Amino acid sequence: MAKFFNKVNQAISERVLSAEKTELEEEFKSYEKKTDATEEAITSAINKAEQYLQPNPTARAKFNVTQKFNKATSKYPQPEGELGDSMIKGGRAIGEDANFGQALVIVGEAEKQIAEARDALDAEVQSNFLIPLKEFLKKEIKDVNFHRKKLESRRLDFDYKRRRGHKGGQPDPKADEELRIAEQKFEESKELSWNGMQAILENEAEQVSQLNAFVQAQLAFHNTAVDVLTQLAQSLSDVVQSAASRPKSEPRYARTAPAEDTYGSSSYGGSSSYAAPASSASSGSKAYRALFDFEAENPGELTFREGDTIYVSGRLDENWLEGSCNGQSGIFPVQYIEYN
Amino acid sequence: MAKFFNKVNQAISERVLSAEKTELEEEFKSYEKKTDATEEAITSAINKAEQYLQPNPTARAKFNVTQKFNKATSKYPQPEGELGDSMIKGGRAIGEDANFGQALVIVGEAEKQIAEARDALDAEVQSNFLIPLKEFLKKEIKDVNFHRKKLESRRLDFDYKRRRGHKGGQPDPKADEELRIAEQKFEESKELSWNGMQAILENEAEQVSQLNAFVQAQLAFHNTAVDVLTQLAQSLSDVVQSAASRPKSEPRYARTAPAEDTYGSSSYGGSSSYAAPASSASSGSKAYRALFDFEAENPGELTFREGDTIYVSGRLDENWLEGSCNGQSGIFPVQYIEYN
């Protein structure tokens, strides 16, 4: 117990009374600063590299959980892989006889190859960058921090005993012996801390080569992506040409004679620049478009013309809505309008 | 009103009574299927491409919100950029006179260049892939769907009037005229739908070339990344060599004479393979390690030796903990232990 109160006594005396304190060498302090900076830099780099490899935090968390239960089959969903799957599915639904369908399938397959290269990047960076650096934090850095913590505690004990020794002025062999042991312990911890930090800082070659492994893995990934995409660009240029030179068939209907009204009478050419249905200006948040003419037959019903903008204000039942059009309001059948 | 109930009548009759129904041509139906498949494929590809460009959904949502308010300055945080910033900061804190500090800074700068290339990829894919495809959905596809919806409605009206016409058996010029107009309107909508779908499907060259623009942007991005990383690998190999050939200084303390106990007496060589502090086996979740010997001086206090494993069960006040060690339990000062 005495030991503990001695340290508290010394810590308070240092803070309140500016009691004398054994100072550590400047070189030691500089080692401490660099060791702390190394720990912080590595911790942050690990964190950001993990986000770089698996940028979707939700998918990353899910991956980490499933990996715990089933290491073999769990896989982080790479964005290129998801894109590739979607394109292949979409392309097949359109049909590979169509140029667009075919293009989607071949682009999708290339994206999946890039996703595989990204899986390889992930595995490589795990093995040669993340795992060794995590080990380094957990062992070398943690151990030296343990000794540094102990050093500070032993310094307090030593300084307390030095201060006490000066007080009396009378020779006290027991106190002298205690002081000698306290100093010895303090020196021991300082040596362990010093050597540990020196070893960490001088062995930076390991961390530099882990950083190099990370860069090499990235380079390999991007090289693979370039290879895959270069080949894809060649295949795709054939499809681009085939699509561009596709003969346009005559539109099935040359010109449509409008029935009864003129709305929607624009003809289609072979190009996609056919006219859009006329859209009325709308300002409300519930603007709908009239699909057909509606003539009020009973009081309270709202008359409108096809193409008119209707502002819906409520619903009567499953068939009838309430709303306004051209300054009039009333009810009308739900099927007569569509969302604008 | 009549028109609306006619359609409901016809729809119910078709479903319940299997009333006769004007069938659309097989070619028309095949166009419908392909148009729907095209819409679905494009919608899904847009969605997945956005996730590919900005894989973190939280950051993407935040980006989309800030972009609305301030288009110029908002930027999606690229994972390479975050990694680069962290490495540069960490490297500078360690100091660029150290090989590891220098390596972190140059790798960080390269990562930031890759992040810039990714920004360019994002902008390119937006302009030449996402925006045109979204426009295509919003205009061509939406318009043709409008006509298809109208066609179905007009078909119901037409079929209702055909059915009604057959019922009486008596000539009815007004009904005949109504039937003629209904058919004309039906045909008009069919023509508009048909021509629209034909235009969409025959203009696939546009979508194929947008897909090609996406592939070219990806290729350009990966090419830039390869260039940046190739140059980086060269600079980094100098640092790797410099770190590997760094002369190891003698450890400051050759061999430490243990003070009073033998714990922590392992010597440090120049390598990082120095011995870890002995760690006691622990099984509880609150296992701590004794930093110093503690001798009970009052009843209820717990005696232990430096290095012992202490299981903490509670806290008395800011200075005293309660726990057990080697089958005994009692209280002891908080500074005497550390988390194992």
Side-chain angles (χ1 to χ4, degrees):
Chain A
M1 260 328 290
K3 214 171 177 183
F4 169 63
F5 285 114
N6 296 349
K7 287 172 201 160
V8 173
N9 181 324
Q10 175 65 18
I12 292 170
S13 301
E14 281 174 11
R15 240 169 284 163
V16 180
L17 311 170
S18 304
E20 205 184 332
K21 180 177 165 181
T22 303
E23 281 294 331
L24 291 156
E25 288 84 341
E26 283 308 314
E27 193 185 352
F28 186 92
K29 287 185 195 162
S30 139
Y31 274 19
E32 287 198 306
K33 224 174 123 187
K34 283 196 177 179
T35 303
D36 288 342
T38 301
E39 179 180 4
E40 206 173 305
I42 290 175
T43 306
S44 169
I46 287 173
N47 179 25
K48 296 297 177 186
E50 284 176 339
Q51 288 172 21
Y52 160 73
L53 290 175
Q54 307 190 342
N56 181 333
T58 318
R60 185 168 59 242
K62 210 169 146 191
F63 168 79
N64 287 336
V65 169
T66 57
Q67 208 192 27
K68 266 191 190 158
F69 293 104
N70 192 350
K71 272 194 175 246
T73 58
S74 72
K75 221 173 166 186
Y76 177 82
Q78 304 293 358
E80 287 94 342
E82 305 260 288
L83 177 63
D85 284 335
S86 136
M87 284 178 165
I88 291 170
K89 194 180 157 215
R92 289 195 182 137
I94 293 171
E96 291 182 65
D97 49 330
N99 288 307
F100 186 45
Q102 192 196 348
L104 278 171
V105 170
I106 64 171
V107 175
E109 274 159 3
E111 296 297 334
K112 290 190 76 171
Q113 284 179 48
I114 297 175
E116 274 172 36
R118 203 181 269 286
D119 284 339
L121 165 70
D122 193 328
E124 187 75 16
V125 173
Q126 283 289 344
S127 305
N128 299 327
F129 182 73
L130 293 173
I131 291 174
L133 283 178
K134 283 178 183 175
E135 278 299 308
F136 179 68
L137 288 182
K138 238 170 65 188
K139 199 175 140 16
E140 277 85 344
I141 296 273
K142 196 186 163 202
D143 286 355
V144 89
N145 286 346
F146 169 79
H147 289 301
R148 285 167 63 193
K149 193 174 170 187
K150 202 158 155 179
L151 170 64
E152 171 61 7
S153 185
R154 286 180 164 179
R155 185 194 63 71
L156 285 170
D157 185 54
F158 170 51
D159 282 343
Y160 169 79
K161 283 169 183 159
R162 278 209 304 167
R163 205 155 52 88
R164 185 188 58 177
H166 292 167
K167 266 185 195 161
Q170 298 293 319
D172 179 348
K174 186 172 170 275
D176 284 351
E177 174 62 11
E178 274 181 22
L179 179 62
R180 196 192 59 77
I181 291 172
E183 180 169 17
Q184 210 174 4
K185 286 191 142 199
F186 165 71
E187 284 298 329
E188 180 204 301
S189 279
K190 190 167 83 174
E191 289 165 25
L192 287 167
S193 300
W194 200 310
N195 283 352
M197 292 193 294
Q198 190 178 339
I200 283 171
L201 296 172
E202 289 190 350
N203 272 286
E204 55 174 6
E206 275 182 35
Q207 285 83 58
V208 172
S209 82
Q210 280 142 12
L211 209 50
N212 192 43
F214 174 64
V215 170
Q216 293 298 336
Q218 265 190 302
L219 181 54
F221 162 66
H222 287 293
N223 263 324
T224 304
V226 166
D227 289 349
V228 169
L229 290 165
T230 304
Q231 220 180 327
L232 169 64
Q234 280 166 8
S235 328
L236 198 56
S237 79
D238 294 344
V239 186
V240 171
Q241 283 204 335
S242 156
S245 62
R246 173 180 172 157
K248 297 272 157 50
S249 44
E250 282 301 300
R252 186 176 167 95
Y253 301 97
R255 178 162 276 275
T256 302
E260 175 183 282
D261 67 313
T262 57
Y263 173 71
S265 65
S266 52
S267 79
Y268 287 105
S271 97
S272 67
S273 64
Y274 58 87
S279 73
S280 314
S282 69
S283 62
S285 62
K286 289 171 174 175
Y288 289 74
R289 179 158 58 173
L291 283 169
F292 314 102
D293 295 354
F294 176 66
E295 285 288 341
E297 294 183 356
N298 299 299
E301 290 176 4
L302 178 68
T303 296
F304 51 71
R305 296 279 152 259
E306 190 179 295
D308 278 353
T309 298
I310 317 281
Y311 296 94
V312 175
S313 54
R315 185 165 199 135
L316 240 65
D317 57 31
E318 64 170 324
N319 293 318
W320 290 84
L321 294 173
E322 195 173 2
S324 61
C325 174
N326 301 323
Q328 305 293 316
S329 60
I331 60 165
F332 52 89
V334 63
Q335 269 109 328
Y336 273 58
I337 61 164
E338 78 156 7
Y339 191 64
N340 202 358
Chain B
M1 261 328 292
K3 214 171 176 182
F4 170 62
F5 286 114
N6 296 349
K7 286 173 201 161
V8 173
N9 181 323
Q10 176 65 18
I12 292 170
S13 301
E14 282 174 11
R15 241 169 283 164
V16 180
L17 310 170
S18 304
E20 204 184 331
K21 179 178 166 181
T22 303
E23 280 295 332
L24 291 156
E25 288 84 341
E26 282 308 314
E27 193 185 352
F28 186 92
K29 286 186 196 162
S30 139
Y31 274 20
E32 287 198 307
K33 224 175 122 185
K34 284 196 176 177
T35 303
D36 288 342
T38 301
E39 179 180 4
E40 207 173 305
I42 290 176
T43 305
S44 168
I46 287 174
N47 179 25
K48 296 296 178 186
E50 284 176 338
Q51 288 172 21
Y52 160 73
L53 290 175
Q54 307 190 342
N56 181 333
T58 318
R60 186 168 60 242
K62 210 168 146 190
F63 168 78
N64 287 336
V65 170
T66 57
Q67 208 190 27
K68 266 191 190 158
F69 293 105
N70 192 351
K71 272 193 175 245
T73 58
S74 72
K75 221 172 165 187
Y76 177 82
Q78 304 293 359
E80 287 94 342
E82 305 260 288
L83 177 62
D85 284 335
S86 136
M87 284 178 165
I88 291 171
K89 194 181 157 212
R92 288 193 183 139
I94 293 171
E96 290 182 64
D97 48 329
N99 288 307
F100 186 45
Q102 192 196 349
L104 278 171
V105 170
I106 65 171
V107 175
E109 274 159 3
E111 296 297 334
K112 290 191 75 171
Q113 284 179 49
I114 297 175
E116 273 172 38
R118 203 181 269 286
D119 284 339
L121 165 70
D122 193 328
E124 187 74 16
V125 173
Q126 283 289 344
S127 305
N128 299 327
F129 182 72
L130 293 172
I131 291 174
L133 283 178
K134 283 178 183 175
E135 278 299 308
F136 179 68
L137 288 182
K138 237 170 66 186
K139 200 176 139 14
E140 278 85 345
I141 297 273
K142 194 185 165 203
D143 286 355
V144 90
N145 285 346
F146 170 79
H147 289 302
R148 285 167 62 193
K149 193 174 170 187
K150 202 159 155 179
L151 171 64
E152 172 61 7
S153 184
R154 287 180 163 178
R155 185 194 62 72
L156 285 170
D157 185 54
F158 170 51
D159 282 344
Y160 169 79
K161 283 169 184 160
R162 278 209 304 169
R163 204 154 53 88
R164 185 188 57 178
H166 292 167
K167 266 185 194 160
Q170 297 294 317
D172 179 348
K174 188 174 167 276
D176 285 351
E177 175 61 11
E178 275 182 22
L179 179 62
R180 196 192 58 77
I181 290 172
E183 180 169 18
Q184 210 175 4
K185 286 191 142 199
F186 165 70
E187 284 298 329
E188 180 205 300
S189 279
K190 191 168 81 173
E191 288 165 25
L192 286 168
S193 300
W194 199 309
N195 282 352
M197 292 193 295
Q198 191 178 338
I200 283 170
L201 296 172
E202 289 190 350
N203 272 285
E204 56 174 6
E206 276 182 35
Q207 285 82 59
V208 172
S209 81
Q210 280 142 12
L211 209 50
N212 192 43
F214 175 65
V215 170
Q216 293 298 337
Q218 265 190 303
L219 182 53
F221 162 66
H222 287 293
N223 262 323
T224 304
V226 166
D227 289 349
V228 169
L229 290 165
T230 304
Q231 221 180 328
L232 169 63
Q234 279 166 8
S235 328
L236 198 57
S237 79
D238 294 344
V239 186
V240 171
Q241 283 204 335
S242 157
S245 62
R246 174 180 172 156
K248 297 273 157 50
S249 44
E250 282 301 300
R252 185 177 167 96
Y253 300 97
R255 178 163 275 276
T256 301
E260 173 181 283
D261 67 312
T262 57
Y263 174 72
S265 65
S266 52
S267 79
Y268 286 105
S271 96
S272 67
S273 63
Y274 58 87
S279 73
S280 314
S282 69
S283 63
S285 62
K286 288 171 174 175
Y288 289 74
R289 178 158 58 174
L291 283 169
F292 315 101
D293 295 355
F294 177 65
E295 285 288 341
E297 293 184 356
N298 298 299
E301 291 176 4
L302 178 69
T303 295
F304 51 71
R305 296 278 152 259
E306 191 177 295
D308 279 352
T309 297
I310 317 281
Y311 296 94
V312 175
S313 55
R315 183 165 200 135
L316 240 66
D317 57 31
E318 64 169 323
N319 294 318
W320 291 84
L321 294 173
E322 194 173 2
S324 61
C325 174
N326 301 324
Q328 305 293 316
S329 60
I331 61 166
F332 52 90
V334 62
Q335 269 108 328
Y336 273 57
I337 61 164
E338 79 155 9
Y339 191 64
N340 202 358

